[in-house]
Amino acid sequence: MDPATGEMFHHLPMDPDVAREIVAWGADERRHINYYIDDRLYVERRTEWSDLYARNTGSDVLPVGPLLRFDGRSPTKLIYVGAPDDTREALEMWRRRLGSRVYAVLSNPEYLEFLNPEANKWAGVSAVAEYYGIPPEQIVAFGDSPNDVPMLVHAGLGVVMPHAHPEVKAVADVAMEGDSEDAVSRAVENLMAGRGLGRA
């Protein structure tokens, strides 16, 4: 979405049946689910996990009671927020249970994201690039988490941060070293100065 005009470049919401299944599981198992629709974040109630997510992201969290109130709707995405061991276990379960009906990925140790199977960061980047006429080989992508992998693989140059997950480093063109805090700015400065970054 263009932040200035509100124009939508690309939107791939979830299948409502898939969303219903995940939301029902969250209710039955008392798992914290973030429900994103109409550019807002809804939760059943405030919990330690909603507070953690709000602190980490600065997102406004709107408690609305049981999320099955949205039954039949197509959310942009859902996130199960929980302990890292629980999110990893749930990732494997949902991949077995739903297969290609959902794109399930850990974006953080505590965040298990569920999206439309065609929705990933590269889908978003490529939609904007196509709008502006930018070819993929001219795109530089930066990432550190497993949900960055499609973007890093398809961009002309995929750069990972020093603290990146091993799965992410494995697909990088360039792996930055040193302080993670200024890794992106160092990479951009080097590229703009024509110094390059080397290869992973």
Side-chain angles (χ1 to χ4, degrees), residues 27-38:
D28 291 344
E29 299 290 331
R30 299 187 63 80
R31 307 295 179 104
H32 178 86
I33 303 292
N34 286 355
Y35 193 106
Y36 294 80
I37 194 165
D38 299 331

Side-chain angles (χ1 to χ4, degrees), residues 1-9 124-136 138-139:
M1 180 182 290
D2 185 319
T5 67
E7 178 184 1
M8 184 72 71
F9 289 111
V125 169
S126 60
V128 175
E130 182 177 353
Y131 181 88
Y132 287 108
I134 302 169
Q138 292 184 12
I139 296 173

Side-chain angles (χ1 to χ4, degrees), residues 5-187:
T5 67
E7 178 184 1
M8 184 72 71
F9 289 111
H10 201 49
H11 187 220
L12 293 168
M14 294 180 65
D15 181 311
D17 293 336
V18 170
R20 178 189 304 117
E21 191 169 344
I22 296 167
V23 167
W25 168 78
D28 291 344
E29 299 290 331
R30 299 187 63 80
R31 307 295 179 104
H32 178 86
I33 303 292
N34 286 355
Y35 193 106
Y36 294 80
I37 194 165
D38 299 331
D39 211 27
R40 291 191 165 189
L41 165 54
Y42 298 100
V43 298
E44 179 176 346
R45 64 187 183 280
R46 294 291 296 267
T47 68
E48 62 176 307
W49 300 115
S50 65
D51 291 345
L52 171 75
Y53 191 84
R55 283 196 308 273
N56 288 349
T57 65
S59 299
D60 291 326
V61 177
L62 302 173
V64 293
L67 296 176
L68 286 170
R69 67 187 293 149
F70 297 116
D71 192 23
R73 302 285 298 276
S74 296
T76 298
K77 69 176 176 179
L78 305 176
I79 301 182
Y80 162 41
V81 186
D85 287 347
D86 294 334
T87 57
R88 284 194 300 271
E89 181 179 336
L91 172 64
E92 297 308 316
M93 180 196 76
W94 283 109
R95 284 181 171 171
R96 290 192 304 270
R97 190 161 161 178
L98 293 175
S100 61
R101 296 173 61 205
V102 73
Y103 174 44
V105 64
L106 292 171
S107 57
N108 203 58
E110 293 88 4
Y111 310 156
L112 172 55
E113 300 202 17
F114 302 94
L115 302 102
N116 179 301
E118 298 180 14
N120 57 55
K121 289 192 177 182
W122 178 246
V125 169
S126 60
V128 175
E130 182 177 353
Y131 181 88
Y132 287 108
I134 302 169
E137 59 269 20
Q138 292 184 12
I139 296 173
V140 180
F142 297 87
D144 59 4
S145 297
N147 65 328
D148 294 319
V149 167
M151 176 178 65
L152 293 166
V153 167
H154 292 289
L157 183 66
V159 184
V160 299
M161 299 297 95
H163 61 276
H165 188 282
E167 175 186 344
V168 184
K169 287 186 176 181
V171 304
D173 294 309
V174 175
M176 295 297 291
E177 298 179 350
D179 187 358
S180 293
E181 292 296 319
D182 67 349
V184 173
S185 61
R186 283 187 287 114

